[in-house]
């Protein structure tokens, strides 16, 4: 397969030929729990509708994933995974209510219909995404719309084949550079803080409370 590419960050280095911000986690000295915290914190801290990242198959811990899945479910979040190649497993965390609103957007619906999607259900959309990751050549860049990236940027990325963007942060921006830059800074800082707090022994609920208190002060 010719991905991951697109909007995504690979091994924490920018993939200049693509546009989505997915992390391919190289598990050097990181536990599975640390990977979950670092890679999904913007979603469970409620500043991003979704996070998608990849781990090596041998590093994926199904038992621990199920524990995290239950914890996230209690907060209205949906955690899913799929082994999408012989070497990689995709993990997706979504704020279901937020994603439903995105999928109800008229422009998003029009774009996804052109891409062959015929549902406004977050669950069905995720199922189709994982199927495309496993069965098709190339990366389904349309996933960017449920990760919080402007549909205009997703469309323009495809129109420009990943070139000529105005800013490259968490995704390649062709429109609102200030917003893209602000999101990149907030998501990166959120991930850094949450991993730091987790390493210091805070629980997921305590981490969310601490982050929300920072937002309130700001």
């Amino acid at each position: 397969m010719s991905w991951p590419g697109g909007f995504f960050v690979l091994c924490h280095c920018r993939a200049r030929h693509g546009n989505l911000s997915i992390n391919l986690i190289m598990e050097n000295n990181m536990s599975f729990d640390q990977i979950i915290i670092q890679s999904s914190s913007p979603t469970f801290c409620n500043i991003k509708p979704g996070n998608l990242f990849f781990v090596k198959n041998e590093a994926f811990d199904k038992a621990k994933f199920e524990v995290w899945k239950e914890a996230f479910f209690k907060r209205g979040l949906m955690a899913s995974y799929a082994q999408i190649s012989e070497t990689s497993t995709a993990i997706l965390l979504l704020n279901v209510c937020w994603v439903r609103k995105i999928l109800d957007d008229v422009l998003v619906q029009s774009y996804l219909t052109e891409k062959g999607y015929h549902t406004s259900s977050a669950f069905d959309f995720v199922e189709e995404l994982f199927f495309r990751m496993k069965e098709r050549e190339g990366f389904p860049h349309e996933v960017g719309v449920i990760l919080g990236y402007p549909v205009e940027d997703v469309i323009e990325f495809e129109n420009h084949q990943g070139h000529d963007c105005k800013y490259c942060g968490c995704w390649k921006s062709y429109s609102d550079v200030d917003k893209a830059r602000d999101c990149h800074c907030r998501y990166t800082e959120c991930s850094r803080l949450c991993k730091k707090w987790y390493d210091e022994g805070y629980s997921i609920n305590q981490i969310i409370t601490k982050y929300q208190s920072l937002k309130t002060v700001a």
Side-chain angles (χ1 to χ4, degrees), residues 7 19 107 148-157 160 163-168 171-181:
F7 292 126
N19 193 28
L107 181 57
Y149 309 141
V151 63
E152 297 87 353
D153 285 342
V154 179
I155 293 171
E156 286 304 305
F157 166 76
H160 290 268
H163 301 293
D164 305 321
C165 67
K166 297 179 180 179
Y167 176 77
C168 184
W171 70 90
K172 287 190 173 181
S173 175
Y174 294 83
S175 53
D176 191 337
V177 170
D178 290 337
K179 178 181 178 180
R181 184 181 292 111

Side-chain angles (χ1 to χ4, degrees), residues 44 60 69 85 94 129 139 172 201:
F44 67 68
F60 180 75
K69 180 179 179 179
S85 74
L94 296 177
L129 273 175
F139 191 84
K172 287 190 173 181

Side-chain angles (χ1 to χ4, degrees), residues 39-50:
S39 302
S40 60
S41 49
T43 297
F44 67 68
C45 284
N46 202 36
I47 62 172
K48 195 171 185 287

Side-chain angles (χ1 to χ4, degrees), residues 36-131:
I36 293 290
I37 289 289
Q38 179 169 298
S39 302
S40 60
S41 49
T43 297
F44 67 68
C45 284
N46 202 36
I47 62 172
K48 195 171 185 287
N51 276 99
L52 175 63
F53 53 100
F54 297 88
V55 297
K56 297 176 182 177
N57 289 338
E58 60 267 29
F60 180 75
D61 189 322
K62 188 175 187 301
K64 287 187 176 182
F65 174 83
E66 292 298 330
V67 173
W68 280 107
K69 180 179 179 179
E70 182 177 354
F72 287 141
F73 178 78
K74 293 177 180 178
R75 305 195 70 90
L77 305 175
M78 179 177 73
S80 309
Y81 79 93
Q83 184 175 321
I84 42 75
S85 74
E86 294 180 355
T87 60
S88 300
T89 294
I91 300 175
L92 177 64
L93 181 67
L94 296 177
N95 180 315
V96 178
C97 291
W98 195 342
V99 168
R100 283 173 180 162
K101 292 179 181 179
I102 292 172
L103 295 177
D104 283 340
D105 180 84
V106 174
L107 181 57
V108 171
Q109 287 184 348
S110 176
Y111 166 68
L112 292 178
T113 297
E114 292 181 2
K115 304 290 286 187
Y117 294 86
H118 302 287
T119 180
S120 59
S121 163
F123 304 98
D124 292 343
F125 183 70
V126 169
E127 183 177 5
E128 177 64 19
L129 273 175
F130 281 152
F131 173 79

Side-chain angles (χ1 to χ4, degrees), residues 4 8-15 22-26 54 56:
F8 298 92
V9 180
L10 306 181
C11 310
H12 304 289
C13 297
R14 183 60 49 193
I22 297 176
N23 292 328
L24 177 61
I25 303 299
M26 309 303 287
F54 297 88
K56 297 176 182 177

